[in-house]
């Protein structure tokens, strides 16, 4: 019971489900790469490059995260729409950066080169 209560109390308020407090029930808090508590606890002392990159990307997608929190009826179509929106936002951000490649550079990743002879669109 203590483990279940600790799991419930660790969940963001929007993910708590009273049914998880019943013995044998699975906590209703989804565990995902950007789970607030899991991310911060895991990187409390020494965040990795990928941890910092995930946080930076999450900040850039905050409007989409906020909208996702309001969705109550998830389906494959809704997930696909969010994936397209995130891709489009990243594409637009890359085109309008003051310093192209700064996201890669700031997090210690190699800046990919442009393809030579790429067809014009």
């Amino acid at each position: 019971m203590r483990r279940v209560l600790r799991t419930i109390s660790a969940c963001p308020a929007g993910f708590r489900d009273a049914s998880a407090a019943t013995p044998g029930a699975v906590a209703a808090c989804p565990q995902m790469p950007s789970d607030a508590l899991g991310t911060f606890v895991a990187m409390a002392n020494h965040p990795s490059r990928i941890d910092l990159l995930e946080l930076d990307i999450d900040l850039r997608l905050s409007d989409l995260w906020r909208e996702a929190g309001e969705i109550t009826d998830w389906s494959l179509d809704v997930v696909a729409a969010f994936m397209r929106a995130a891709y489009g936002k990243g594409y637009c951000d890359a085109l309008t950066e003051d310093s192209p490649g700064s996201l890669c550079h700031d997090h210690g990743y190699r800046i990919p080169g442009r393809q030579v002879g790429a067809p014009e669109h």
Side-chain angles (χ1 to χ4, degrees), residues 64-120:
L64 289 175
W65 279 116
R66 190 171 24 264
E67 190 175 336
E70 297 171 3
I71 302 294
T72 57
D73 189 24
W74 284 93
S75 68
L76 187 55
D77 289 336
V78 173
V79 171
F82 272 92
M83 290 176 70
R84 287 190 296 273
Y87 181 88
K89 175 134 178 54
Y91 188 83
C92 290
D93 285 354
L95 289 174
T96 59
E97 284 185 300
D98 290 336
S99 177
S102 62
L103 182 65
C104 292
H105 180 267
D106 292 349
H107 292 282
Y109 292 95
R110 180 183 61 78
I111 300 171
R114 300 204 42 96
Q115 292 180 356
V116 178
E120 304 253 344

Side-chain angles (χ1 to χ4, degrees), residues 11-109:
C11 291
F15 292 113
R16 292 184 188 152
D17 182 354
S19 67
T22 59
V26 177
C29 181
Q31 297 297 312
M32 58 187 111
S34 294
D35 179 51
L37 184 64
T39 299
F40 291 125
V41 169
M43 60 181 233
N45 295 323
H46 302 289
S48 69
R49 286 190 321 169
I50 194 71
D51 290 330
L52 295 173
L53 179 62
E54 285 177 352
L55 286 173
D56 198 350
I57 291 170
D58 284 346
L59 287 172
R60 292 173 183 227
L61 297 175
S62 62
D63 54 335
L64 289 175
W65 279 116
R66 190 171 24 264
E67 190 175 336
E70 297 171 3
I71 302 294
T72 57
D73 189 24
W74 284 93
S75 68
L76 187 55
D77 289 336
V78 173
V79 171
F82 272 92
M83 290 176 70
R84 287 190 296 273
Y87 181 88
K89 175 134 178 54
Y91 188 83
C92 290
D93 285 354
L95 289 174
T96 59
E97 284 185 300
D98 290 336
S99 177
S102 62
L103 182 65
C104 292
H105 180 267
D106 292 349
H107 292 282
Y109 292 95

